Coordinates of all heavy atoms in Angstrom, one line a residue:
P94 N 7.1 3.6 -20.9 CA 5.9 2.8 -21.3 C 6.1 1.3 -20.9 O 5.2 0.5 -21.0 CB 6.0 2.9 -22.8 CG 7.4 3.2 -23.2 CD 7.9 4.1 -22.0
W95 N 7.3 1.0 -20.3 CA 7.6 -0.4 -20.0 C 7.3 -0.7 -18.5 O 7.5 -1.9 -18.1 CB 9.0 -0.8 -20.4 CG 9.3 -0.3 -21.7 CD1 10.4 0.5 -22.1 CD2 8.6 -0.6 -23.0 NE1 10.4 0.8 -23.4 CE2 9.3 0.1 -24.0 CE3 7.5 -1.3 -23.3 CZ2 8.9 0.1 -25.3 CZ3 7.1 -1.4 -24.6 CH2 7.8 -0.7 -25.6
R96 N 7.0 0.3 -17.7 CA 6.7 0.0 -16.3 C 5.6 -1.0 -16.1 O 5.7 -1.9 -15.3 CB 6.4 1.4 -15.6 CG 7.6 2.3 -15.6 CD 7.2 3.6 -14.8 NE 7.0 3.3 -13.4 CZ 7.9 3.4 -12.5 NH1 9.2 3.7 -12.8 NH2 7.7 3.1 -11.2
A97 N 4.5 -0.8 -16.9 CA 3.4 -1.7 -16.7 C 3.8 -3.2 -17.1 O 3.3 -4.1 -16.4 CB 2.2 -1.3 -17.6
R98 N 4.6 -3.3 -18.1 CA 5.1 -4.7 -18.4 C 5.9 -5.3 -17.3 O 5.8 -6.5 -17.0 CB 5.9 -4.6 -19.7 CG 6.4 -6.0 -20.2 CD 5.2 -6.9 -20.6 NE 5.7 -8.0 -21.3 CZ 5.0 -9.2 -21.4 NH1 3.8 -9.2 -20.8 NH2 5.4 -10.2 -22.1
A99 N 6.8 -4.4 -16.7 CA 7.6 -4.9 -15.5 C 6.7 -5.3 -14.4 O 6.9 -6.4 -13.7 CB 8.5 -3.8 -15.1
E100 N 5.6 -4.6 -14.1 CA 4.7 -4.9 -13.0 C 4.0 -6.2 -13.4 O 3.7 -7.0 -12.5 CB 3.7 -3.8 -12.8 CG 4.4 -2.6 -12.2 CD 3.5 -1.3 -12.3 OE1 2.5 -1.4 -12.9 OE2 3.9 -0.3 -11.7
D101 N 3.6 -6.5 -14.7 CA 3.0 -7.8 -15.0 C 4.0 -8.9 -14.7 O 3.5 -9.9 -14.1 CB 2.8 -7.8 -16.5 CG 1.6 -6.9 -16.9 OD1 0.9 -6.4 -16.0 OD2 1.5 -6.6 -18.1
H102 N 5.3 -8.7 -15.0 CA 6.2 -9.8 -14.7 C 6.3 -10.0 -13.2 O 6.5 -11.2 -12.8 CB 7.6 -9.4 -15.3 CG 7.8 -9.6 -16.7 ND1 7.6 -10.9 -17.3 CD2 8.1 -8.8 -17.7 CE1 7.8 -10.8 -18.6 NE2 8.1 -9.6 -18.9
I103 N 6.3 -9.0 -12.4 CA 6.4 -9.1 -11.0 C 5.2 -9.9 -10.4 O 5.4 -10.8 -9.6 CB 6.5 -7.7 -10.3 CG1 7.9 -7.1 -10.5 CG2 6.2 -7.8 -8.8 CD1 8.0 -5.7 -10.0
A104 N 4.0 -9.6 -11.0 CA 2.8 -10.4 -10.5 C 2.9 -11.8 -10.8 O 2.6 -12.7 -10.0 CB 1.6 -9.8 -11.2
I105 N 3.4 -12.2 -12.0 CA 3.6 -13.6 -12.4 C 4.7 -14.2 -11.6 O 4.5 -15.4 -11.1 CB 3.9 -13.7 -13.9 CG1 2.8 -13.1 -14.8 CG2 4.2 -15.1 -14.3 CD1 3.1 -13.0 -16.2
A106 N 5.8 -13.5 -11.4 CA 6.9 -14.1 -10.6 C 6.5 -14.3 -9.1 O 6.9 -15.2 -8.4 CB 8.1 -13.2 -10.7
T107 N 5.6 -13.4 -8.6 CA 5.2 -13.5 -7.2 C 4.3 -14.8 -7.0 O 4.5 -15.5 -6.1 CB 4.3 -12.3 -6.8 OG1 5.1 -11.1 -6.9 CG2 3.8 -12.4 -5.4
A108 N 3.5 -15.1 -8.0 CA 2.7 -16.3 -8.0 C 3.6 -17.5 -8.1 O 3.5 -18.5 -7.4 CB 1.7 -16.3 -9.1
D109 N 4.6 -17.5 -8.9 CA 5.6 -18.6 -9.1 C 6.4 -18.8 -7.8 O 6.7 -19.9 -7.4 CB 6.6 -18.3 -10.2 CG 5.9 -18.4 -11.6 OD1 4.8 -18.9 -11.6 OD2 6.4 -17.8 -12.5
S110 N 6.8 -17.6 -7.1 CA 7.5 -17.7 -5.9 C 6.7 -18.4 -4.8 O 7.3 -19.2 -4.0 CB 7.9 -16.3 -5.4 OG 8.7 -16.4 -4.2
A111 N 5.4 -18.2 -4.7 CA 4.6 -18.8 -3.7 C 4.5 -20.3 -3.9 O 4.4 -21.1 -2.9 CB 3.2 -18.2 -3.8
R112 N 4.7 -20.8 -5.2 CA 4.7 -22.2 -5.4 C 6.0 -22.8 -5.3 O 6.2 -24.0 -5.2 CB 4.1 -22.5 -6.8 CG 2.6 -22.1 -7.0 CD 2.1 -22.7 -8.3 NE 2.7 -22.0 -9.4 CZ 2.2 -20.9 -10.0 NH1 1.1 -20.3 -9.5 NH2 2.8 -20.3 -11.0
A113 N 7.1 -22.0 -5.3 CA 8.4 -22.5 -5.3 C 8.7 -23.0 -3.9 O 8.2 -22.6 -2.9 CB 9.4 -21.4 -5.6
Q114 N 9.6 -24.0 -3.8 CA 9.9 -24.6 -2.5 C 11.4 -24.4 -2.2 O 12.3 -24.3 -3.1 CB 9.7 -26.1 -2.5 CG 8.2 -26.5 -2.7 CD 8.0 -28.0 -2.7 OE1 8.8 -28.7 -3.2 NE2 6.9 -28.4 -2.0
A115 N 11.7 -24.2 -0.9 CA 13.1 -24.0 -0.5 C 13.9 -25.3 -0.8 O 13.4 -26.4 -0.8 CB 13.1 -23.7 1.0
A116 N 15.2 -25.1 -1.1 CA 16.0 -26.2 -1.5 C 16.5 -26.9 -0.2 O 16.9 -26.3 0.8 CB 17.2 -25.7 -2.3
V117 N 16.4 -28.3 -0.2 CA 16.8 -29.1 0.9 C 17.9 -30.0 0.4 O 17.7 -30.7 -0.6 CB 15.7 -29.9 1.6 CG1 16.2 -30.8 2.7 CG2 14.6 -28.9 2.1
Q118 N 19.0 -30.1 1.2 CA 20.1 -31.0 0.9 C 20.3 -31.9 2.1 O 20.4 -31.4 3.2 CB 21.4 -30.3 0.6 CG 22.6 -31.2 0.2 CD 23.8 -30.4 0.0 OE1 23.9 -29.2 0.1 NE2 24.9 -31.1 -0.4
A119 N 20.2 -33.2 1.9 CA 20.3 -34.2 3.1 C 21.6 -35.0 2.9 O 22.2 -35.1 1.9 CB 19.1 -35.0 3.1

């Protein structure tokens, strides 16, 4: 019964990942 909840988390994390930026060290 928790597969749907996991898929919800993946959808949210995918949106967060698109907004995340790669780390730059100068």
Side-chain angles (χ1 to χ4, degrees):
W95 315 123
R96 295 182 66 90
R98 184 60 170 160
E100 289 166 352
D101 290 345
H102 280 301
I103 289 177
I105 297 170
T107 300
D109 292 341
S110 178
R112 292 190 295 268
Q114 295 180 322
V117 177
Q118 181 181 5

